[in-house]
Every structure is written in structure tokens, then in C-alpha cells.
Amino acid sequence: MERNNSLKVLHSPAAYDDQFDEYLRSDNSNITRNDFPPNFIFGSATAAYQFEGAAAKGGRGPSIWDTFALKTPGRIIDGSNGNVATDLYARFEEDITLMKKMGFDAYRFSISWSRILPGGRCCAGINKEGIDYYNTVINTVIKHGLEPYVTLFHFDLPQALQEEYGGFLSKKIVKDFREYVELCFWEFGDRVKHWITVNEPTTYCVNGYASCTFPPSQAISSAYVSALAPQSIDSVSDSPPADVNLTSTPPYVRSAFTSLLRSSSTAFRNGTNIPPHRGLHHDPKHLLSTFQSSNINNRNLYGSGPNTYDPKNVYTAARNMLLAHSEAVHTYRTKFQGHQGGKIGITLCCVWYEPLREHDKDDIAAHKRALDFSLGWFLEPIVTGNYPQNMIDYVPPENLAPFSQRESQRLKGSYDFLGLNYYTAIYATNDPDPQCEDGYFKDQHVKYQDHRGGILIGPVAGSSWLHIVPWGIKKLLTYTKATYNSIPPIYITENGVDEKSDCKLTACDACVDPVRVKYHQDHLANILKAMHDKHHPVDVRGYFVWSWSDNYEWTEGYTVRFGLIYVDFMNNLTRYPKHSAIWFTKFLTRKKILGGEKRLIANAEESEFEKRLKYMEE
């Protein structure tokens, strides 16, 4: 078979450099805070397990991430864990002070469930030291003039609940989650006015139960490996390459790994059935190493349940997570919202899926299916009380249990605002007959690829799954508004880009991050375009940078850096502002009042941004 040499050239280091040069030449550098409404919120974000550290301090109990990282370190790229992370537990005041100095309005952080309830529920003991800690954090945030935006669940389920009944695979989680959040509302709700029930439920469910790259999985699923294996392979044999030993690999996944290892990088670029997501790695040898480092031959780390992949589990976990969310909202609205006066919502993460062939009806349908299997999976139930029709049509009915009338009624409208996390985009094309195992990846009948006509959709950042595609955030926002017209205000609760961590760089050199500066400039410009869209203007109220500082990036460990603030993990976790932090400090400066007149975007005939937008359109 003749090889496509254009793709080889495209993925050479020189081609990447050229694409980054072209990307950096486009210009949104004159965007300012004053282009946004005066009450628009700018903030930065962290998450408990990724930042806090102090894993065994202050009465905290273990979470499933502690178990995953400590007992199967081979499943983390650098074998690391979050035991110390950035030591935010001890250094939060230093970080919050710097946030205020930079000009941020808000700070989004998560509460560690097992720091509040080490055993997962109140009857197992309430940790007063954990409550005191978060009270101090919240008070410090407010003292510095920032607003706390608090996430109640950000992946770190208490290990005790996973061991007892399987966590989100059991309906028991709904009652325990309600009990936990009610305690948080009671203890912190007099000061916290923005609550987020769950962060990125799609990520938790897909990575935990479909790809099985995150806890509480035991090992990468064969369905995931088979969905990654290219469907058009140059040369495949029944035997793996000579330098790879698969004798200890179970038969049920051996053939999939053989196919993956035998495929050429060019053939792999023909697309896979795996959409981009956190923790996604394309390198076959890395995947094999991760699989062989798993706990496949030992007792289940998360309880006594069988160590088997079940295609139904991802949908079961998602259903219970939706019910837990709706119960949390119901509890807040009926017991606390009236006198505390806060708002409650959910944060969803979505890639923008662009039709590969933009005028092809099958690819347009595939693009819609991809969005329904990610964004719509959780948004449709809280808007209408039901799953998206695409999921009803394509998921085997025995795997997608319908909601009861009571569940549907409680889900419908269970949000005061919507949080959206956006990082990247990918092309989607119809796949009428996916050659992979049954389950979530096959059910979509979509193939994903990162290029069209030999040109990447965007430059690749530090993580292989993250292509820089600023226009994707505008398309996602306007799609969301057009599809769910009555949607409440939207906050961009995460948006950011990473680079590889390079130990050869000095802290001074590592703080030079023009790609990150450009990334935020371009995404902010596209958010403004969505807010001013002629057909579907979107009510966006805020923007939170991911992340405040470099941190523990789940299965990528400390190998990539997302932060505005550089953390020297080798030297006392010292913080240094990157060039992007300096840019944000300048960007966040409000225009001074001159002659007693304040510039108000909402009342201006035409903002500076609108003038630039008109110029670009011409």
C-alpha cells in the first residue's frame, strides 16, 4: 500500500514548529477586560487532589485516586501521586493573595469529600479539622475580595464508598452524596454563593468505566484498545513486533494490542473511535506498559467485585451521577437557597466536534451524535428530563435504563447556571460499522481524526489529545445556545493549555510561555464573538483559567504544566509567575475613570471589540 507522505511531513517536528509560528502570528493581543461587561467574572481554578497534597494530614481519608496512584503507579506516566502536589493545603493564603494581586475576581476550587467525611458518610464520622480547613480557605478568599466558586465533586470519591458498594455503580451513592453536600451547604453556604455539584461527569464515567484509564478501573479495557486500533493498517500479523513480549498479556486483549503495535503511525492517523479526552495516549508501547502495570492479576483494589469490563457500567455510573446531581440541587433549593441566596449548577466538559466533510449529511449527523454522547448525555436530562434521542437510538436499551417519571421531573431544570470546560476540537466522520468491541466507543458510530486534507485541526500542545483550536469554543457556545434555547447563564469554568515539563529549563526559561498567552487571548476573543453572535448571542458570565498553577495532571502526573504560575517541584515548590500570569495582570486592569465618565460596554454604541470584529469580517 502506498503511504501518504504528506501526513508524515505534517507530523514532523519542523511541521509542528511551522504551525506554531503561523498560530502565533494571528493577533488578538489588543483584547482587554474592558471589552467584557463590567460584571463579567474572571477567575482561576484548582481541584483538591491535584493541588492540596496533605493526603494523610488533617484527618483526611483516602480517595480512589490515592489508591490508584499509590498501588498502581505504573498507570501514571511518571509514577507520581498527589500526596504533596503543590501543597496548597499549607500555602493557600500565599496563592490567594497572588490571585488578588493579579486582579482576579473569583477563585474556583473543590472540596475533598474524604477530607470532610473520611468514611464517606456522616455516620462514619465528620472530620471537624477538615471543615475548619475549608472555612479558613473560604474566609481567606472573601477577605481578599474574591468570590468562592466551590465544586463539590471533582473525581476524588472516598475509597470507603467504592469498597463498600462500588461507588457510582450503585444507587446508594445518591443518598450518600446528598448527605455530603447538605453538610457542605450547612457549614459553608452562608458565604459560598456559587456551587457546582459535579465536575466533568463525562470524564469521570468514560475514563473510569469505558476506557478504564482512571480509577476505579483495574486495567485499561480491551474495548478501549480495540477502538484505538486503526481500521486501515499497512501490515498486520498475528504476532507482535519482535521487541515486544505479550506472553503475560491476557488473550482477550492480546490481539488488540498486536494490531495496535503493528500499525504504522501513518495508518493510525486514518482515525480512531476514541474522541480526545484527559489521559488519552496514542503511543501503543506506553499503553501496553500501562496495562501491564495494572492490577489485573490481583484482588480488586476497590472492593471485592469482579475485575471485568462491562459495557453497561459507563451508562449506569452516569445515570447515578445525574441522579446524585439532581438530589443535591433539590436539597439546596428546598432547604438552603431561600435564606442563603446562592446559585447551584453543574460543570460539563466538551470537545467541539467539527464535521470532517462539512456538507456531507452523514458527517453532520456524526458530529451531532458525538456532541450528544458527550455534552448532551448530561445536559439534555437536566434541560428536558430525558436522554438525547441519539443515545436512545444507538445505545442498546438494556444498557441505558430510562428515568422514572419522578427522576425525570427532578432532573428537569436542575441548574441555575451551566459550567463549560473547553480545551480542544477534533474532526468527526460517520462510521457505519465500527471495528471495535461493544460499548460506549462503538455505540457512537463516529470516527475521529485530527486532520483534514493533511492539515492538522490545530497545533498540538503538551498533551497529545489537546490541539489548539480557539474557534471551537465559539462554535460550542453558539451550538449550546441554539440547541438548548432556554439555557441559563454559562460560565467557562475551565480553559487552558499545557506544555511538556522540561527539567533542563531553568525556572526563568520555563516561565516564557507565549503559546499560553496566545491561547487565552484567542479563546477570550472567540467567547466575545459568541456573546455578540447575530443569530444566537450567548449569555456568558465568567471565565476561569485552568489552571492557577502547575499541578498533578491525573495520569500524566507532573509531566505537563497547565499553570499560569510555575511551580518548582524540585525546590520547595517555589512559585514563579509565568509570562501568561504577567499578561493576565495587565489584561485584568480595568480602564481608569477619566473626567468622571466610566466606559460601560453594555451601554456603548459599539465596543472596541465589536469594531475589531467588524473589521475581521470585512
Side-chain angles (χ1 to χ4, degrees), residues 160-188:
L161 301 184
Q162 187 65 40
E163 288 185 358
E164 182 180 341
Y165 54 69
F168 280 96
L169 288 182
S170 170
K171 264 196 168 183
K172 294 178 181 178
I173 195 70
V174 177
K175 176 179 178 296
D176 286 338
F177 186 69
R178 182 181 64 219
E179 186 177 79
Y180 156 62
V181 301
E182 185 169 351
L183 176 64
C184 291
F185 299 149
W186 176 267
E187 294 288 348
F188 314 125

PDB file of all heavy atoms in Angstrom, residues 160-188:
ATOM      1  N   ALA A 160     -13.762   4.521  50.803  1.00  0.00           N
ATOM      2  CA  ALA A 160     -14.666   3.704  51.631  1.00  0.00           C
ATOM      3  C   ALA A 160     -15.955   3.376  50.885  1.00  0.00           C
ATOM      4  O   ALA A 160     -16.462   2.244  50.973  1.00  0.00           O
ATOM      5  CB  ALA A 160     -14.968   4.446  52.931  1.00  0.00           C
ATOM      6  N   LEU A 161     -16.497   4.332  50.141  1.00  0.00           N
ATOM      7  CA  LEU A 161     -17.754   4.090  49.423  1.00  0.00           C
ATOM      8  C   LEU A 161     -17.538   3.210  48.204  1.00  0.00           C
ATOM      9  O   LEU A 161     -18.412   2.433  47.821  1.00  0.00           O
ATOM     10  CB  LEU A 161     -18.390   5.421  49.019  1.00  0.00           C
ATOM     11  CG  LEU A 161     -18.722   6.389  50.165  1.00  0.00           C
ATOM     12  CD1 LEU A 161     -19.444   7.617  49.631  1.00  0.00           C
ATOM     13  CD2 LEU A 161     -19.547   5.698  51.240  1.00  0.00           C
ATOM     14  N   GLN A 162     -16.376   3.345  47.566  1.00  0.00           N
ATOM     15  CA  GLN A 162     -16.065   2.477  46.439  1.00  0.00           C
ATOM     16  C   GLN A 162     -15.941   1.037  46.904  1.00  0.00           C
ATOM     17  O   GLN A 162     -16.435   0.104  46.253  1.00  0.00           O
ATOM     18  CB  GLN A 162     -14.770   2.934  45.762  1.00  0.00           C
ATOM     19  CG  GLN A 162     -14.445   2.199  44.476  1.00  0.00           C
ATOM     20  CD  GLN A 162     -15.461   2.449  43.376  1.00  0.00           C
ATOM     21  OE1 GLN A 162     -15.932   3.569  43.198  1.00  0.00           O
ATOM     22  NE2 GLN A 162     -15.804   1.410  42.639  1.00  0.00           N
ATOM     23  N   GLU A 163     -15.286   0.834  48.032  1.00  0.00           N
ATOM     24  CA  GLU A 163     -15.112  -0.528  48.562  1.00  0.00           C
ATOM     25  C   GLU A 163     -16.426  -1.115  49.043  1.00  0.00           C
ATOM     26  O   GLU A 163     -16.703  -2.303  48.863  1.00  0.00           O
ATOM     27  CB  GLU A 163     -14.107  -0.517  49.708  1.00  0.00           C
ATOM     28  CG  GLU A 163     -12.673  -0.308  49.276  1.00  0.00           C
ATOM     29  CD  GLU A 163     -11.698  -0.426  50.435  1.00  0.00           C
ATOM     30  OE1 GLU A 163     -12.153  -0.634  51.580  1.00  0.00           O
ATOM     31  OE2 GLU A 163     -10.482  -0.311  50.203  1.00  0.00           O
ATOM     32  N   GLU A 164     -17.254  -0.289  49.650  1.00  0.00           N
ATOM     33  CA  GLU A 164     -18.483  -0.802  50.265  1.00  0.00           C
ATOM     34  C   GLU A 164     -19.511  -1.272  49.248  1.00  0.00           C
ATOM     35  O   GLU A 164     -20.073  -2.366  49.378  1.00  0.00           O
ATOM     36  CB  GLU A 164     -19.106   0.271  51.166  1.00  0.00           C
ATOM     37  CG  GLU A 164     -20.366  -0.215  51.873  1.00  0.00           C
ATOM     38  CD  GLU A 164     -20.980   0.847  52.760  1.00  0.00           C
ATOM     39  OE1 GLU A 164     -20.288   1.817  53.126  1.00  0.00           O
ATOM     40  OE2 GLU A 164     -22.181   0.714  53.083  1.00  0.00           O
ATOM     41  N   TYR A 165     -19.769  -0.441  48.215  1.00  0.00           N
ATOM     42  CA  TYR A 165     -20.831  -0.820  47.276  1.00  0.00           C
ATOM     43  C   TYR A 165     -20.543  -0.485  45.818  1.00  0.00           C
ATOM     44  O   TYR A 165     -21.443  -0.514  44.985  1.00  0.00           O
ATOM     45  CB  TYR A 165     -22.164  -0.212  47.721  1.00  0.00           C
ATOM     46  CG  TYR A 165     -22.170   1.284  47.939  1.00  0.00           C
ATOM     47  CD1 TYR A 165     -22.055   2.182  46.883  1.00  0.00           C
ATOM     48  CD2 TYR A 165     -22.318   1.811  49.223  1.00  0.00           C
ATOM     49  CE1 TYR A 165     -22.092   3.546  47.077  1.00  0.00           C
ATOM     50  CE2 TYR A 165     -22.347   3.175  49.445  1.00  0.00           C
ATOM     51  CZ  TYR A 165     -22.242   4.044  48.368  1.00  0.00           C
ATOM     52  OH  TYR A 165     -22.275   5.407  48.580  1.00  0.00           O
ATOM     53  N   GLY A 166     -19.301  -0.133  45.499  1.00  0.00           N
ATOM     54  CA  GLY A 166     -18.959   0.109  44.104  1.00  0.00           C
ATOM     55  C   GLY A 166     -19.157   1.533  43.646  1.00  0.00           C
ATOM     56  O   GLY A 166     -19.201   1.804  42.438  1.00  0.00           O
ATOM     57  N   GLY A 167     -19.267   2.471  44.582  1.00  0.00           N
ATOM     58  CA  GLY A 167     -19.341   3.882  44.215  1.00  0.00           C
ATOM     59  C   GLY A 167     -20.516   4.212  43.319  1.00  0.00           C
ATOM     60  O   GLY A 167     -21.662   3.878  43.631  1.00  0.00           O
ATOM     61  N   PHE A 168     -20.249   4.844  42.202  1.00  0.00           N
ATOM     62  CA  PHE A 168     -21.323   5.315  41.320  1.00  0.00           C
ATOM     63  C   PHE A 168     -22.004   4.201  40.525  1.00  0.00           C
ATOM     64  O   PHE A 168     -22.948   4.480  39.776  1.00  0.00           O
ATOM     65  CB  PHE A 168     -20.793   6.401  40.381  1.00  0.00           C
ATOM     66  CG  PHE A 168     -20.705   7.752  41.031  1.00  0.00           C
ATOM     67  CD1 PHE A 168     -19.514   8.193  41.588  1.00  0.00           C
ATOM     68  CD2 PHE A 168     -21.817   8.569  41.118  1.00  0.00           C
ATOM     69  CE1 PHE A 168     -19.435   9.430  42.205  1.00  0.00           C
ATOM     70  CE2 PHE A 168     -21.758   9.807  41.736  1.00  0.00           C
ATOM     71  CZ  PHE A 168     -20.558  10.242  42.286  1.00  0.00           C
ATOM     72  N   LEU A 169     -21.578   2.986  40.685  1.00  0.00           N
ATOM     73  CA  LEU A 169     -22.315   1.873  40.067  1.00  0.00           C
ATOM     74  C   LEU A 169     -23.539   1.489  40.894  1.00  0.00           C
ATOM     75  O   LEU A 169     -24.372   0.701  40.443  1.00  0.00           O
ATOM     76  CB  LEU A 169     -21.406   0.655  39.892  1.00  0.00           C
ATOM     77  CG  LEU A 169     -20.332   0.779  38.803  1.00  0.00           C
ATOM     78  CD1 LEU A 169     -19.532  -0.515  38.704  1.00  0.00           C
ATOM     79  CD2 LEU A 169     -20.946   1.130  37.450  1.00  0.00           C
ATOM     80  N   SER A 170     -23.638   2.029  42.092  1.00  0.00           N
ATOM     81  CA  SER A 170     -24.761   1.714  42.978  1.00  0.00           C
ATOM     82  C   SER A 170     -25.617   2.948  43.220  1.00  0.00           C
ATOM     83  O   SER A 170     -25.110   4.068  43.355  1.00  0.00           O
ATOM     84  CB  SER A 170     -24.245   1.195  44.320  1.00  0.00           C
ATOM     85  OG  SER A 170     -25.292   1.103  45.265  1.00  0.00           O
ATOM     86  N   LYS A 171     -26.924   2.750  43.315  1.00  0.00           N
ATOM     87  CA  LYS A 171     -27.829   3.862  43.620  1.00  0.00           C
ATOM     88  C   LYS A 171     -27.634   4.387  45.040  1.00  0.00           C
ATOM     89  O   LYS A 171     -28.091   5.481  45.371  1.00  0.00           O
ATOM     90  CB  LYS A 171     -29.281   3.423  43.416  1.00  0.00           C
ATOM     91  CG  LYS A 171     -29.846   3.782  42.058  1.00  0.00           C
ATOM     92  CD  LYS A 171     -31.366   3.678  42.078  1.00  0.00           C
ATOM     93  CE  LYS A 171     -31.940   4.312  40.813  1.00  0.00           C
ATOM     94  NZ  LYS A 171     -33.403   4.285  40.823  1.00  0.00           N
ATOM     95  N   LYS A 172     -26.931   3.612  45.858  1.00  0.00           N
ATOM     96  CA  LYS A 172     -26.674   4.075  47.217  1.00  0.00           C
ATOM     97  C   LYS A 172     -25.873   5.373  47.235  1.00  0.00           C
ATOM     98  O   LYS A 172     -25.918   6.138  48.197  1.00  0.00           O
ATOM     99  CB  LYS A 172     -25.924   2.991  48.003  1.00  0.00           C
ATOM    100  CG  LYS A 172     -26.729   1.725  48.258  1.00  0.00           C
ATOM    101  CD  LYS A 172     -25.896   0.689  49.008  1.00  0.00           C
ATOM    102  CE  LYS A 172     -26.696  -0.593  49.248  1.00  0.00           C
ATOM    103  NZ  LYS A 172     -25.866  -1.621  49.940  1.00  0.00           N
ATOM    104  N   ILE A 173     -25.140   5.616  46.168  1.00  0.00           N
ATOM    105  CA  ILE A 173     -24.308   6.818  46.103  1.00  0.00           C
ATOM    106  C   ILE A 173     -25.165   8.080  46.141  1.00  0.00           C
ATOM    107  O   ILE A 173     -24.718   9.133  46.625  1.00  0.00           O
ATOM    108  CB  ILE A 173     -23.427   6.808  44.826  1.00  0.00           C
ATOM    109  CG1 ILE A 173     -22.300   7.859  44.928  1.00  0.00           C
ATOM    110  CG2 ILE A 173     -24.265   7.052  43.581  1.00  0.00           C
ATOM    111  CD1 ILE A 173     -21.245   7.550  45.915  1.00  0.00           C
ATOM    112  N   VAL A 174     -26.401   7.998  45.658  1.00  0.00           N
ATOM    113  CA  VAL A 174     -27.267   9.180  45.597  1.00  0.00           C
ATOM    114  C   VAL A 174     -27.544   9.699  47.001  1.00  0.00           C
ATOM    115  O   VAL A 174     -27.425  10.900  47.275  1.00  0.00           O
ATOM    116  CB  VAL A 174     -28.582   8.857  44.858  1.00  0.00           C
ATOM    117  CG1 VAL A 174     -29.512  10.064  44.856  1.00  0.00           C
ATOM    118  CG2 VAL A 174     -28.291   8.401  43.430  1.00  0.00           C
ATOM    119  N   LYS A 175     -27.891   8.807  47.914  1.00  0.00           N
ATOM    120  CA  LYS A 175     -28.168   9.205  49.304  1.00  0.00           C
ATOM    121  C   LYS A 175     -26.907   9.737  49.978  1.00  0.00           C
ATOM    122  O   LYS A 175     -26.949  10.759  50.680  1.00  0.00           O
ATOM    123  CB  LYS A 175     -28.713   8.012  50.080  1.00  0.00           C
ATOM    124  CG  LYS A 175     -28.955   8.286  51.556  1.00  0.00           C
ATOM    125  CD  LYS A 175     -29.524   7.065  52.242  1.00  0.00           C
ATOM    126  CE  LYS A 175     -29.734   7.312  53.739  1.00  0.00           C
ATOM    127  NZ  LYS A 175     -28.454   7.545  54.442  1.00  0.00           N
ATOM    128  N   ASP A 176     -25.778   9.064  49.758  1.00  0.00           N
ATOM    129  CA  ASP A 176     -24.540   9.495  50.420  1.00  0.00           C
ATOM    130  C   ASP A 176     -24.041  10.828  49.876  1.00  0.00           C
ATOM    131  O   ASP A 176     -23.512  11.656  50.626  1.00  0.00           O
ATOM    132  CB  ASP A 176     -23.467   8.419  50.279  1.00  0.00           C
ATOM    133  CG  ASP A 176     -23.738   7.214  51.182  1.00  0.00           C
ATOM    134  OD1 ASP A 176     -24.476   7.375  52.172  1.00  0.00           O
ATOM    135  OD2 ASP A 176     -23.219   6.125  50.891  1.00  0.00           O
ATOM    136  N   PHE A 177     -24.214  11.048  48.573  1.00  0.00           N
ATOM    137  CA  PHE A 177     -23.820  12.329  48.004  1.00  0.00           C
ATOM    138  C   PHE A 177     -24.706  13.444  48.549  1.00  0.00           C
ATOM    139  O   PHE A 177     -24.216  14.529  48.900  1.00  0.00           O
ATOM    140  CB  PHE A 177     -23.897  12.280  46.476  1.00  0.00           C
ATOM    141  CG  PHE A 177     -23.369  13.515  45.792  1.00  0.00           C
ATOM    142  CD1 PHE A 177     -22.017  13.818  45.817  1.00  0.00           C
ATOM    143  CD2 PHE A 177     -24.228  14.382  45.114  1.00  0.00           C
ATOM    144  CE1 PHE A 177     -21.519  14.966  45.183  1.00  0.00           C
ATOM    145  CE2 PHE A 177     -23.744  15.527  44.481  1.00  0.00           C
ATOM    146  CZ  PHE A 177     -22.385  15.816  44.521  1.00  0.00           C
ATOM    147  N   ARG A 178     -25.993  13.184  48.630  1.00  0.00           N
ATOM    148  CA  ARG A 178     -26.915  14.182  49.174  1.00  0.00           C
ATOM    149  C   ARG A 178     -26.543  14.546  50.608  1.00  0.00           C
ATOM    150  O   ARG A 178     -26.550  15.722  50.987  1.00  0.00           O
ATOM    151  CB  ARG A 178     -28.348  13.651  49.128  1.00  0.00           C
ATOM    152  CG  ARG A 178     -29.387  14.652  49.643  1.00  0.00           C
ATOM    153  CD  ARG A 178     -30.785  14.059  49.588  1.00  0.00           C
ATOM    154  NE  ARG A 178     -30.882  12.918  50.485  1.00  0.00           N
ATOM    155  CZ  ARG A 178     -31.553  11.800  50.201  1.00  0.00           C
ATOM    156  NH1 ARG A 178     -32.144  11.663  49.029  1.00  0.00           N
ATOM    157  NH2 ARG A 178     -31.617  10.810  51.060  1.00  0.00           N
ATOM    158  N   GLU A 179     -26.188  13.559  51.404  1.00  0.00           N
ATOM    159  CA  GLU A 179     -25.809  13.796  52.795  1.00  0.00           C
ATOM    160  C   GLU A 179     -24.536  14.640  52.878  1.00  0.00           C
ATOM    161  O   GLU A 179     -24.430  15.568  53.690  1.00  0.00           O
ATOM    162  CB  GLU A 179     -25.608  12.453  53.500  1.00  0.00           C
ATOM    163  CG  GLU A 179     -25.351  12.547  54.985  1.00  0.00           C
ATOM    164  CD  GLU A 179     -25.242  11.165  55.608  1.00  0.00           C
ATOM    165  OE1 GLU A 179     -24.169  10.538  55.483  1.00  0.00           O
ATOM    166  OE2 GLU A 179     -26.229  10.715  56.219  1.00  0.00           O
ATOM    167  N   TYR A 180     -23.568  14.325  52.020  1.00  0.00           N
ATOM    168  CA  TYR A 180     -22.304  15.067  51.993  1.00  0.00           C
ATOM    169  C   TYR A 180     -22.515  16.521  51.589  1.00  0.00           C
ATOM    170  O   TYR A 180     -22.016  17.453  52.241  1.00  0.00           O
ATOM    171  CB  TYR A 180     -21.331  14.369  51.032  1.00  0.00           C
ATOM    172  CG  TYR A 180     -20.248  15.235  50.451  1.00  0.00           C
ATOM    173  CD1 TYR A 180     -19.296  15.861  51.260  1.00  0.00           C
ATOM    174  CD2 TYR A 180     -20.167  15.449  49.065  1.00  0.00           C
ATOM    175  CE1 TYR A 180     -18.302  16.667  50.695  1.00  0.00           C
ATOM    176  CE2 TYR A 180     -19.180  16.238  48.508  1.00  0.00           C
ATOM    177  CZ  TYR A 180     -18.251  16.852  49.324  1.00  0.00           C
ATOM    178  OH  TYR A 180     -17.271  17.646  48.777  1.00  0.00           O
ATOM    179  N   VAL A 181     -23.272  16.753  50.499  1.00  0.00           N
ATOM    180  CA  VAL A 181     -23.444  18.133  50.037  1.00  0.00           C
ATOM    181  C   VAL A 181     -24.294  18.934  51.016  1.00  0.00           C
ATOM    182  O   VAL A 181     -24.069  20.145  51.187  1.00  0.00           O
ATOM    183  CB  VAL A 181     -24.042  18.193  48.605  1.00  0.00           C
ATOM    184  CG1 VAL A 181     -23.140  17.471  47.620  1.00  0.00           C
ATOM    185  CG2 VAL A 181     -25.455  17.653  48.544  1.00  0.00           C
ATOM    186  N   GLU A 182     -25.245  18.289  51.674  1.00  0.00           N
ATOM    187  CA  GLU A 182     -26.057  19.001  52.661  1.00  0.00           C
ATOM    188  C   GLU A 182     -25.181  19.504  53.810  1.00  0.00           C
ATOM    189  O   GLU A 182     -25.367  20.622  54.306  1.00  0.00           O
ATOM    190  CB  GLU A 182     -27.173  18.103  53.194  1.00  0.00           C
ATOM    191  CG  GLU A 182     -28.116  18.823  54.132  1.00  0.00           C
ATOM    192  CD  GLU A 182     -29.375  18.031  54.454  1.00  0.00           C
ATOM    193  OE1 GLU A 182     -29.603  16.979  53.822  1.00  0.00           O
ATOM    194  OE2 GLU A 182     -30.132  18.472  55.336  1.00  0.00           O
ATOM    195  N   LEU A 183     -24.215  18.705  54.216  1.00  0.00           N
ATOM    196  CA  LEU A 183     -23.273  19.133  55.252  1.00  0.00           C
ATOM    197  C   LEU A 183     -22.488  20.353  54.768  1.00  0.00           C
ATOM    198  O   LEU A 183     -22.279  21.310  55.527  1.00  0.00           O
ATOM    199  CB  LEU A 183     -22.329  17.983  55.602  1.00  0.00           C
ATOM    200  CG  LEU A 183     -21.215  18.291  56.613  1.00  0.00           C
ATOM    201  CD1 LEU A 183     -21.806  18.650  57.981  1.00  0.00           C
ATOM    202  CD2 LEU A 183     -20.270  17.091  56.742  1.00  0.00           C
ATOM    203  N   CYS A 184     -22.061  20.329  53.497  1.00  0.00           N
ATOM    204  CA  CYS A 184     -21.317  21.469  52.939  1.00  0.00           C
ATOM    205  C   CYS A 184     -22.189  22.723  52.878  1.00  0.00           C
ATOM    206  O   CYS A 184     -21.728  23.831  53.213  1.00  0.00           O
ATOM    207  CB  CYS A 184     -20.787  21.121  51.550  1.00  0.00           C
ATOM    208  SG  CYS A 184     -19.480  19.877  51.545  1.00  0.00           S
ATOM    209  N   PHE A 185     -23.441  22.579  52.439  1.00  0.00           N
ATOM    210  CA  PHE A 185     -24.341  23.725  52.392  1.00  0.00           C
ATOM    211  C   PHE A 185     -24.516  24.315  53.795  1.00  0.00           C
ATOM    212  O   PHE A 185     -24.548  25.537  53.974  1.00  0.00           O
ATOM    213  CB  PHE A 185     -25.705  23.326  51.819  1.00  0.00           C
ATOM    214  CG  PHE A 185     -25.681  22.792  50.410  1.00  0.00           C
ATOM    215  CD1 PHE A 185     -26.620  21.844  49.989  1.00  0.00           C
ATOM    216  CD2 PHE A 185     -24.736  23.225  49.493  1.00  0.00           C
ATOM    217  CE1 PHE A 185     -26.621  21.355  48.704  1.00  0.00           C
ATOM    218  CE2 PHE A 185     -24.718  22.736  48.195  1.00  0.00           C
ATOM    219  CZ  PHE A 185     -25.662  21.801  47.802  1.00  0.00           C
ATOM    220  N   TRP A 186     -24.674  23.447  54.776  1.00  0.00           N
ATOM    221  CA  TRP A 186     -24.889  23.872  56.161  1.00  0.00           C
ATOM    222  C   TRP A 186     -23.663  24.607  56.708  1.00  0.00           C
ATOM    223  O   TRP A 186     -23.781  25.657  57.358  1.00  0.00           O
ATOM    224  CB  TRP A 186     -25.220  22.660  57.028  1.00  0.00           C
ATOM    225  CG  TRP A 186     -25.367  22.980  58.489  1.00  0.00           C
ATOM    226  CD1 TRP A 186     -24.414  22.921  59.461  1.00  0.00           C
ATOM    227  CD2 TRP A 186     -26.553  23.436  59.133  1.00  0.00           C
ATOM    228  NE1 TRP A 186     -24.921  23.307  60.678  1.00  0.00           N
ATOM    229  CE2 TRP A 186     -26.242  23.630  60.502  1.00  0.00           C
ATOM    230  CE3 TRP A 186     -27.860  23.700  58.689  1.00  0.00           C
ATOM    231  CZ2 TRP A 186     -27.183  24.069  61.434  1.00  0.00           C
ATOM    232  CZ3 TRP A 186     -28.797  24.139  59.634  1.00  0.00           C
ATOM    233  CH2 TRP A 186     -28.453  24.325  60.976  1.00  0.00           C
ATOM    234  N   GLU A 187     -22.476  24.070  56.446  1.00  0.00           N
ATOM    235  CA  GLU A 187     -21.260  24.621  57.027  1.00  0.00           C
ATOM    236  C   GLU A 187     -20.731  25.854  56.276  1.00  0.00           C
ATOM    237  O   GLU A 187     -20.160  26.753  56.888  1.00  0.00           O
ATOM    238  CB  GLU A 187     -20.157  23.545  57.048  1.00  0.00           C
ATOM    239  CG  GLU A 187     -20.454  22.375  57.976  1.00  0.00           C
ATOM    240  CD  GLU A 187     -20.347  22.744  59.452  1.00  0.00           C
ATOM    241  OE1 GLU A 187     -19.822  23.835  59.758  1.00  0.00           O
ATOM    242  OE2 GLU A 187     -20.794  21.936  60.286  1.00  0.00           O
ATOM    243  N   PHE A 188     -20.911  25.889  54.947  1.00  0.00           N
ATOM    244  CA  PHE A 188     -20.242  26.918  54.144  1.00  0.00           C
ATOM    245  C   PHE A 188     -21.192  27.822  53.354  1.00  0.00           C
ATOM    246  O   PHE A 188     -20.764  28.821  52.794  1.00  0.00           O
ATOM    247  CB  PHE A 188     -19.271  26.264  53.144  1.00  0.00           C
ATOM    248  CG  PHE A 188     -18.398  25.186  53.741  1.00  0.00           C
ATOM    249  CD1 PHE A 188     -18.354  23.907  53.194  1.00  0.00           C
ATOM    250  CD2 PHE A 188     -17.606  25.448  54.859  1.00  0.00           C
ATOM    251  CE1 PHE A 188     -17.548  22.915  53.726  1.00  0.00           C
ATOM    252  CE2 PHE A 188     -16.791  24.460  55.409  1.00  0.00           C
ATOM    253  CZ  PHE A 188     -16.763  23.188  54.844  1.00  0.00           C
TER     254      PHE A 188
END
